[in-house]
Amino acid sequence: MKKKAFWGILILALALLLIYAPILILAAYSFTDATSIGFHGSFSLQNYITLFTTPELKDMIIGTLILALAVALISTVLGSLGAIGAFYSRNRSRFILGTVNQIPVVNADVVTGFSVCILLVVVFGMSKDSFIPLLAGQVALCAPFVYLSVLPKLSQMDPSIYEAALDLGASPATALWKVVIPVIRPGILSGFAMAVTLSLDDYFVATYTKPATFDTISTYVVNATRGAQTSVKTALWALSTLLFVVVLLLVLIGQRGGKKQERKEAEA
Amino acid sequence: MRFSRKHLALPYALFLLLLVVLPLVVIVVYAFSDSSGQPTAENFIRFFTDPNTLGTLFYSLVLALITTLVCLLIAYPVAYSLAFSRIKRRSVLLLLFILPMWINFTLRLTALKELLTLLEGNLAYHPFLNSVIGMSYDFLPFMILPIYNQLERLDRSFMEAASDLGASGFQVFLKVTLPLSIPGVVSGIAMVFLPAMTNYVVLDMLYNSTYIMGSLIGSYFAAYDWHGGSMISLVLLALICLFTLLSGNSEEKPEGGRRL
C-alpha cells in the first residue's frame, strides 16, 4: 500500500514538473535582461516596464480584455435567455435548439471563424473594421457554453417556486427575474467565466474576423513569434508571468468561494 | 401575443440560425460552386485527387493520432493517481493540473518554445517531434479532466469486491477499473483528437512548415479562394461529424472549457 502511494505521488510530481517547468522558467527569466532563456542575465524589470509603456502592447492588452468582457456579456444574456426559453419549450423545439447549440461546441474553431467570415464579410459585404464580425464570431463560439452551463441548473430547480410566485401575485416577468434567475445564478456566472476564458484564448475566430489594425493577445503573440523584435518578445514573457499569477489568484479565490458556498449549503 | 417563458429563447434561436446554421449553408454552397457562382463539383474532385491536400489530410490524422496517444499515456496515470490518492486537498491538486487551460495558449506555447530551443538548439531539426510535444502540452488538461471525473465517481466497492474474490492488484485494474473508466477515456480522446487535427498555431509557432487541415483552410483564406477553403471546411466538418458519432453520444458535458 505504501509503495503504491509513493508511485502515485511520484507520477503526480513529475507531471506537475512537466506542466509548469516552461512557465516557471520563463517567469524567472522575465525578471532579467536576457534575450533568450539559458543566457546569463542580470536582474531587471525592463520587460515589465516595456509591457506597460509601449502603446502597441498596452492597446493590445486592453483591447483583448474589453473584447472578452463584451463577448462574455452578450453571450451570457443570449445563452441564459436561450436556456430558460428552451427549458420551458416543447420537447421538439428544445431538441432542435440543443442540437444546433452543439454545433459550435464540437466544430473546429477554424471552421467557425472561416464560415462566419465568409457569411458576414464575403456574402453580406460587412467591413471587419466595424468589429461586428469579430463580436458575432466570438459570441457564436462562447454562447453555446453559457447555454450548456445554465440548462442543468434549471432542471435542478424546484418548479413549484415559480408557481408559488405567480400564485402570490407576481407577474411572469417578475417571477422570472426575482425567483428563477437568482436560483440559476451559479450556472449563469460559470457560463460568464467560461465565455471570458474562451474569448481570451481564441485565436482562430479572431484571426479570420478581426479588423486588420486590431490585435488580441493570441493574434499578437503568434505574429510576434514570426518577427525578431527582441524587446517585444521578452515583454511577452512578462505578460505570460502576469497572466499566470492572475489566473492562480482567481483560482484560489474561486476555491475559497466554492468552499464557503458548500458550507452554506450544508448548513441550510 | 401573450408573454410566455419560451419566447425568451427567440433571440438565441435567431442568433444560432443566423450565425451558426446560415454560415454552414454558405460553406456548402461555396464548396460546390465556382467563382462565377455556377454549381460545380470541381473543388470536390480537386480535393480528392490533389496529392498535396490528401497528404495534408494524412499528416493531420497521424499527428492527431500520436498526440492523442501521448496525452492518453501521460493523462491516464496522472488521473488514476489523483483519483485514488489519499491526499487531503485533492481538489486543489486537480486545479493545479487544469489551471493551464485558463492561461492563453499562445503564451504557454511561447514558454514551451523557449525551453525547447534551449534543449534542442534549433527547432527546425525536429518539426514533427516538436509539434507532438507542443500539442500534447497544450491539450493535456483536456485529457486529464474527463478521465479523472470518470475514475473519481467509480463505485469503490467494485474494486474491493474484485480483490476480496482473489484478484491481484493488476487484475483488478485490468478487469474492473480500466473497463469502467472507458467513457472518460473516450470523451478525453474526443477533446484532444479533433483540436489536434486543426490547431495549426502550434505548428506555426514551433517552426513546422508542414500543413495540417486547419492551416490548409488558412492558406486558401490568405489566397482569397473562398470556394477551395469552403471545400476543406466541409471535409473537416464531415470528419468531425463522423468522429462525434463514433465516439458515441457520450453525455459527458464539456467541463471547464474547451479549445480547438
Side-chain angles (χ1 to χ4, degrees):
Chain A
M1 211 61 221
K2 274 259 168 64
K3 217 172 103 191
K4 213 175 137 192
F6 167 76
W7 280 110
I9 288 169
L10 188 69
I11 288 172
L12 293 180
L14 276 178
L16 279 179
L17 188 71
L18 270 179
I19 293 173
Y20 285 101
I23 300 172
L24 292 179
I25 292 174
L26 202 70
Y29 274 94
S30 74
F31 290 102
T32 67
D33 54 11
T35 53
S36 279
I37 65 167
F39 283 88
H40 192 73
S42 50
F43 178 79
S44 152
L45 287 175
Q46 189 53 46
N47 289 328
Y48 291 84
I49 296 167
T50 310
L51 184 65
F52 287 115
T53 52
T54 312
E56 184 184 80
L57 287 167
K58 233 171 38 185
D59 291 350
M60 177 270 287
I61 295 169
I62 294 171
T64 308
L65 291 178
I66 293 175
L67 175 72
L69 286 179
V71 166
L73 209 63
I74 301 172
S75 303
T76 305
V77 173
L78 270 177
S80 305
L81 287 180
I84 295 172
F87 185 71
Y88 293 112
S89 296
R90 272 170 306 147
N91 278 339
R92 216 166 60 101
S93 4
R94 186 166 55 192
F95 176 76
I96 295 172
L97 203 64
T99 309
V100 177
N101 185 74
Q102 209 58 28
I103 295 175
V105 175
V106 296
N107 200 354
D109 290 5
V110 194
V111 178
T112 305
F114 182 76
S115 64
V116 168
C117 169
I118 292 252
L119 178 76
L120 295 183
V121 180
V122 180
V123 178
F124 290 172
M126 213 177 255
S127 162
K128 285 185 187 177
D129 293 332
S130 68
F131 281 92
I132 293 175
L134 179 57
L135 275 174
Q138 286 208 343
V139 171
L141 190 73
C142 301
F145 287 91
V146 178
Y147 178 95
L148 285 179
S149 82
V150 171
L151 208 54
K153 296 288 167 212
L154 284 161
S155 341
Q156 288 162 15
M157 185 182 66
D158 181 353
S160 52
I161 54 171
Y162 176 80
E163 310 294 334
L166 292 190
D167 288 347
L168 291 171
S171 71
T174 316
L176 210 58
W177 185 249
K178 296 263 180 182
V179 177
V180 177
I181 301 274
V183 173
I184 60 171
R185 190 181 292 141
I188 296 178
L189 288 179
S190 75
F192 180 83
M194 215 183 276
V196 171
T197 28
L198 281 170
S199 166
L200 285 179
D201 213 52
D202 169 62
Y203 169 82
F204 295 100
V205 173
T207 193
Y208 289 113
T209 55
K210 74 180 181 61
T213 50
F214 176 83
D215 261 313
T216 67
I217 292 180
S218 302
T219 61
Y220 189 90
V221 171
V222 172
N223 284 332
T225 52
R226 293 204 180 109
Q229 285 173 285
T230 309
S231 70
V232 172
K233 188 186 95 175
T234 50
L236 290 177
W237 299 357
L239 178 60
S240 162
T241 307
L242 279 179
L243 256 180
F244 173 61
V245 172
V246 169
V247 169
L248 194 65
L249 286 177
L250 284 178
V251 163
L252 288 178
I253 293 168
Q255 176 76 8
R256 280 261 172 108
K259 278 255 169 60
K260 258 187 206 154
Q261 182 85 16
E262 264 169 42
R263 231 178 288 140
K264 245 201 236 160
E265 272 164 22
E267 278 166 17
Chain B
M1 195 166 73
R2 248 188 92 248
F3 169 78
S4 157
R5 285 174 290 180
K6 63 183 176 213
H7 294 151
L8 291 172
L10 283 179
Y12 188 52
L14 209 65
F15 177 82
L16 286 180
L17 190 68
L18 197 68
L19 283 152
V20 173
V21 178
L22 199 56
L24 293 184
V25 173
V26 170
I27 290 273
V28 175
V29 172
Y30 266 62
F32 288 103
S33 62
D34 57 23
S35 46
S36 58
Q38 294 300 314
T40 170
E42 199 202 315
N43 302 315
F44 185 78
I45 295 165
R46 202 175 46 178
F47 181 92
F48 285 101
T49 51
D50 185 351
N52 286 332
T53 51
L54 289 179
T56 302
L57 182 62
F58 182 71
Y59 189 86
S60 315
L61 287 172
V62 171
L63 184 63
L65 210 65
I66 296 181
T67 300
T68 310
L69 208 65
V70 170
C71 280
L72 191 59
L73 286 178
I74 300 175
Y76 201 97
V78 169
Y80 184 91
S81 310
L82 205 56
F84 290 94
S85 80
R86 300 245 167 101
I87 300 165
K88 279 232 176 70
R89 320 211 66 190
R90 218 161 51 188
S91 58
V92 179
L93 204 54
L94 176 69
L95 275 175
L96 276 183
F97 278 97
I98 56 175
L99 183 143
M101 280 198 314
W102 296 306
I103 305 173
N104 185 294
F105 81 107
T106 58
L107 287 173
R108 267 190 300 136
L109 278 175
T110 308
L112 182 71
K113 189 182 132 195
E114 292 296 326
L115 188 61
L116 285 177
T117 311
L118 179 67
L119 295 173
E120 294 177 12
N122 190 334
L123 289 175
Y125 293 151
H126 313 284
F128 188 80
L129 176 73
N130 288 336
S131 303
V132 171
I133 295 175
M135 297 249 188
S136 309
Y137 184 65
D138 194 8
F139 300 138
L140 190 61
F142 297 91
M143 187 67 97
I144 294 179
L145 193 58
I147 300 179
Y148 171 81
N149 282 338
Q150 181 69 24
L151 285 171
E152 157 81 331
R153 62 167 174 248
L154 284 189
D155 190 343
R156 299 301 144 104
S157 50
F158 287 134
M159 293 109 188
E160 280 161 25
S163 59
D164 285 349
L165 291 169
S168 70
F170 185 64
Q171 277 172 323
V172 173
F173 173 74
L174 211 60
K175 302 259 179 185
V176 181
T177 319
L178 185 63
L180 287 175
S181 66
I182 292 301
V185 172
V186 169
S187 63
I189 290 176
M191 283 170 89
V192 172
F193 184 78
L194 292 175
M197 261 181 64
T198 57
N199 195 327
Y200 61 90
V201 170
V202 179
L203 273 69
D204 257 17
M205 288 183 72
L206 298 174
Y207 300 118
N208 183 345
S209 53
T210 320
Y211 277 1
I212 57 171
M213 289 299 275
S215 42
L216 208 54
I217 297 179
S219 72
Y220 280 91
F221 181 82
Y224 299 103
D225 182 353
W226 317 121
H227 301 274
S230 295
M231 190 34 112
I232 314 285
S233 304
L234 201 62
V235 173
L236 205 50
L237 210 58
L239 282 172
I240 291 168
C241 284
L242 186 76
F243 189 79
T244 312
L245 289 178
L246 276 182
S247 63
N249 315 320
S250 86
E251 282 97 75
E252 194 78 29
K253 290 265 153 48
E255 284 165 69
R258 154 223 79 139
R259 185 179 49 249
L260 238 53

